[in-house]
Amino acid sequence: MKYNSTNNSTNNPSHQVDLKEAILRSLPPDNGLYMPDQLPTLGEDFWAISRELSFQEIGIAVADAFFGEDVPLDALKEIVDGTLAFDAPLVTLAPGDHILELFHGPTLAFKDFGARFMARLMAWLTRDEDRELTVLVATSGDTGGAVASAFHNVPGTRVVILYPKGKVSGLQEKQLTAIGGNITALEIEGTFDDCQALVKKAFLEREVAERMNLTSANSINLSRLVPQTFYYIHSARQLPEGVRPVFVVPSGNFGNLTAGLLAKKLGLPVEHFVAATNRNDVVPEYLRNGKYEPRPSVATISNAMDVGSPSNFVRMSSLFENSWDEMKLSISGMSFSDEVTRAAVREVNSLYDYQIDPHGAVGWLAAEKYRALHPGSVTITLETAHPSKFPDIMDAELGLGAVEIPERLAVLADKEKVATTLSKEWEPFRDWLEANIR
Ligand SMILES: *Cc1c(COP(=O)(O)O)cnc(C)c1O
């Protein structure tokens, strides 16, 4: 399979790259994002039996459709089995109101799916190399932890995490800074967008990126999106025959929503998508008025969605041939303030005795609104993180101790934070790389 930049609209073959380049170099020189030259579909045979397939079997079929030309099936099976070491249960709150729990992985957020798959695929792609691979990742909260966990102790790899100082929760920070070994944390005096800009800059400086053998683990990396299609298919196939779900996706960088669009391209029957955001509503605004205007992010209680310039927007848009009219037919946008999000956390708890985290609560609000506008719709809201990752908010809304902290998170509380603080400028970051990455 060949990969093409979203900016290479003429499909100039000399700008196309192979899988290894697309995954390890992440960012095309023209500043677009890589997409498969031809989007794969799964045939009638697959969809006819898909309801009987396990999560793993669905994952293997999808991985084979995307990567089968380049990666042998037995290697893909191992990668998928290693990724899906936990389930993604579909919970029904009320008729038509479903929650897809994506937080059963080691770092309690959906990003474990993408990070675990990416780490395994990168390890396979570099299996014959003796140079150390350095994975750069900017995080607004959950990405860094998932990537750190996925790469921890993977031989031949090192991870450098950039996170915005003072803008991630205490336990999130421990997930980034206390793991040690081949994982290094840089605390940046700026916003998530500043962190993301530094990572992007490092890749655009081709000489630096190549000499240091840098790769990116942000959702600009295509290998994170593919495994996220698995749970769209798996959850939809648990609904009664013939029901087409509306997927409601709490969104920041829009990797998760783009994965849903890829699932639909694979052939999954989907009624509609809802892009649910907090006050960082660049995409809902675009869906409303056709103007795409990135702007600085603002801090909210759903901090993993505090993104003012969503990196996957160009991918989303490319799936609709960059047509606003086409995108509007498939996706609705809705945004919610912190105040109503807090109220939703309380409401879901009192109505259903279900503890939903602030990100999932933004999604649930959008699902409620969508069903009110389109009676009879069946929504699947993606619950992207476990509520215990946000103890301040959960305690404030539901009372102390309402949410139990899973053991795998609780053990971090006593570990020591180790991080280097840097300003948001390029030069100090470049100097740090020069001094620390061989
Ligand atoms: C990353 C994250 C999101 C946003 O996902 P995108 O793919 O960037 O849109 C939402 N919720 C949680 C908990 C996250 O960690």
Side-chain angles (χ1 to χ4, degrees), residues 108-111 140-143 172 219 224-225 228 249-258 302-305 307 311-312 357 359-360 383-386 389-390:
L108 302 102
F110 82 89
K111 295 194 173 75
S140 58
D142 292 322
T143 305
Q172 277 180 332
S219 54
R224 274 188 46 191
L225 300 191
Q228 292 175 196
V249 190
S251 294
N253 258 322
F254 284 84
N256 216 1
L257 194 112
T258 303
S302 46
N303 66 6
M305 313 196 312
V307 182
S311 55
N312 276 292
D357 97 293
H359 304 77
E383 168 54 316
T384 48
H386 192 280
K389 292 194 92 168
F390 311 96

Side-chain angles (χ1 to χ4, degrees), residues 140-142 145 163-179 185 187 301 303 387-393 405 409-419:
S140 58
D142 292 322
Y163 72 97
K165 181 174 180 167
K167 295 193 177 65
V168 301
S169 78
L171 278 173
Q172 277 180 332
E173 186 170 40
K174 287 288 174 75
Q175 288 184 319
L176 311 174
T177 59
I179 195 163
E187 187 176 32
I301 60 166
N303 66 6
S388 65
K389 292 194 92 168
F390 311 96
D392 297 353
I393 293 135
I405 301 184
L409 188 60
V411 295
L412 288 172
D414 301 328
K415 294 211 177 154
E416 198 194 338
K417 164 184 165 181
V418 180

Side-chain angles (χ1 to χ4, degrees), residues 3 10 59 61 79 81 94 129 142 195 227-228 240 258 289 328 423 434:
Y3 294 83
T10 55
I79 292 169
D81 284 343
E129 288 180 16
D142 292 322
C195 297
Q228 292 175 196
T258 303
N289 64 20
K328 274 194 308 179
S423 78
E434 294 287 354

